[in-house]
């Protein structure tokens, strides 16, 4: 999902191009970017996406939940891996998630993440986020499940109705994970940092419980 951050999106796309697992598609949902900089970069991406048989979707600004659901509706794969434009995938993110999914039988997989600040590509983390996984009791009070940057079986995502689409409301990933565990779906944690989580002044990690 992207909105008005082309310089960060460029890093996210580059991290996907470096993946050591080849069998995936990318669906980029631009959630109402209007700036000339964003439009120029999206135009630049069109050839790259066409060469890889990837998809760019442009829509009016509808916020995170609706944009992620739009991407899921257009996905062709058995699994969904959500990613925001300010996060950076590690080289083995997809391959590790796939390996864990095949061997665990989980419906949803979250993971640890390396936390950093700033606009440059990270080399050293400033913190380490280690969620607990499918702890239904703890999940009542805060998000112990993990980040939206998670691998979700598409059939499960559809059965649960996707993310809530309340405009301007955060923590739709927390709500989704809690609802999934409450309904008996198997959420497992990969105890390894598979992506870099960028913390910004107005980001969810600082504005409220993750």
């Amino acid at each position: 999902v992207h909105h008005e951050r082309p310089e960060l999106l460029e890093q996210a796309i580059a991290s996907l191009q470096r993946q050591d697992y080849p069998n995936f598609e990318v669906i980029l949902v631009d959630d109402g970017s209007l700036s000339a900089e964003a439009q120029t970069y999206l135009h630049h991406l069109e050839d790259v996406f066409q060469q890889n048989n990837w998809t760019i979707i442009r829509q009016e600004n509808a916020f995170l939940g609706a944009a992620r659901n739009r991407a899921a509706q257009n996905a062709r794969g058995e699994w969904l891996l959500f990613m925001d434009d300010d996060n950076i995938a590690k080289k083995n993110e997809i391959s590790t998630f796939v390996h864990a999914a095949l061997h665990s039988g989980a419906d949803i997989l979250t993971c640890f993440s390396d936390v950093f600040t700033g606009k440059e590509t990270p080399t050293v983390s400033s913190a380490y986020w280690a969620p607990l996984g499918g702890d239904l009791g703890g999940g009542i009070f805060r998000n112990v499940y993990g980040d939206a940057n998670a691998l979700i079986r598409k059939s499960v995502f559809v059965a649960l109705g996707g993310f809530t689409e309340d405009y301007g409301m955060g923590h739709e990933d927390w709500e989704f994970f809690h609802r999934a565990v409450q309904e008996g779906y198997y959420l497992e944690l990969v105890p390894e940092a598979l992506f870099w989580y960028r913390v910004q002044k107005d980001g969810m990690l600082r504005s409220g419980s993750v």
Side-chain angles (χ1 to χ4, degrees), residues 88-185:
I88 297 175
K90 296 196 175 184
K91 183 178 180 180
N92 65 328
E93 178 178 26
I94 297 177
S95 61
T96 303
F97 265 140
V98 169
H99 180 82
L102 293 176
H103 286 79
S104 68
D107 299 303
I108 301 170
L109 286 160
T110 60
C111 66
F112 293 176
S113 58
D114 280 317
V115 179
F116 73 104
T117 57
K119 292 188 175 181
E120 302 301 321
T121 301
T123 56
V124 179
S125 62
S126 59
Y128 194 64
W129 187 34
L132 299 177
D135 179 5
L136 185 61
I140 295 174
F141 303 101
R142 62 182 298 116
N143 183 6
V144 300
Y145 304 114
D147 185 68
N149 201 124
L151 189 74
I152 305 170
R153 196 183 300 272
K154 186 177 180 181
S155 60
V156 171
F157 187 81
V158 172
L160 288 167
F163 293 109
T164 57
E165 298 189 2
D166 295 329
Y167 190 89
M169 297 294 291
H171 308 308
E172 68 289 328
D173 50 346
W174 176 5
E175 190 275 339
F176 176 84
F177 294 145
H178 189 75
R179 184 157 40 93
V181 175
Q182 191 173 39
E183 294 192 19
Y185 290 106

